[in-house]
Amino acid sequence: MDDSAAMQLAVGIEQSRSLESLDLYDNGIGGFASRQISAALSKNPPLNHLNLACNQIGDVGAAMLAMALVRNNILLDLNLWSNDIQDFGASRLSLGLRHNTSLTALGLGRNTLSESCIGDLAASIENNSTLVTLEFEEEGICNDSVSRIEKILCGNRRKPDKNTGS
């Protein structure tokens, strides 16, 4: 996605009153475009589901999205599968999750995350009662870390829905 298209997309996201789902799978989205999308998300558009899988967002783009997560209280589902996100980007996402109150699902599969990074994610979701699904590659991650995350997510699933009270 070139810079002009990214800017137009961001304006469209920002100004939309009805866009609830956006699938940008494999669109060549890199640093500039992810920065534009993040800025738009920070303004709380009605977007509930955003699929950015199979792009080139990387650590810098993930860090920008993390800042948007701090401000955004509408986005429910963010798919970042296969985006060359490594520990730096995932640790920034962890920080964003600590403050986000809406995201229920985060997809981080097919990125390169270390054991310590998974620990950071676990610590973040302990403070985030809305996240109920976190996808990541379990290969190379110890069973204790995977079990810890599963236990936290299971506990979040049992909590009443903040929007319906059920």
Side-chain angles (χ1 to χ4, degrees):
M1 177 176 291
D2 68 23
D3 291 354
S4 174
M7 291 182 351
Q8 290 174 358
L9 174 64
V11 168
I13 292 170
E14 238 177 83
Q15 294 179 350
S16 173
R17 299 287 179 244
S18 60
L19 180 66
E20 293 183 8
S21 185
L22 184 57
D23 187 347
L24 296 170
Y25 176 90
D26 196 16
N27 269 281
I29 294 171
F32 182 80
S34 60
R35 202 166 40 245
Q36 298 302 312
I37 293 167
S38 298
L41 287 175
S42 293
K43 297 182 179 166
N44 278 313
L47 191 63
N48 290 317
H49 307 281
L50 179 58
N51 182 4
L52 292 170
C54 297
N55 284 288
Q56 297 93 35
I57 289 172
D59 284 339
V60 173
M64 300 302 292
L65 287 166
M67 287 191 291
L69 287 177
V70 170
R71 294 183 202 103
N72 185 290
N73 60 7
I74 296 186
L75 189 67
L76 301 174
D77 179 19
L78 178 59
N79 184 351
L80 297 174
W81 272 68
S82 192
N83 264 293
D84 196 30
I85 297 170
Q86 298 180 20
D87 283 357
F88 176 80
S91 69
R92 295 297 158 248
L93 287 168
S94 294
L95 293 173
L97 286 173
R98 287 182 189 268
H99 302 284
N100 182 273
T101 59
S102 65
L103 201 67
T104 61
L106 177 60
L108 291 172
R110 299 227 171 138
N111 288 292
T112 310
L113 309 181
S114 71
E115 178 77 33
S116 70
C117 182
I118 296 299
D120 289 346
L121 283 165
S124 291
I125 62 175
E126 282 178 328
N127 298 313
N128 177 318
S129 63
T130 59
L131 196 72
V132 295
T133 303
L134 175 61
E135 299 170 331
F136 60 93
E137 299 294 320
E138 294 180 20
E139 186 176 320
I141 306 298
C142 82
N143 288 337
D144 289 344
S145 294
V146 173
S147 295
R148 179 179 174 202
I149 286 178
E150 288 173 353
K151 182 179 177 183
I152 296 165
L153 294 174
C154 185
N156 285 354
R157 287 183 201 108
R158 290 189 184 121
K159 293 177 183 169
D161 185 309
K162 69 179 181 176
N163 297 320
T164 64
S166 58

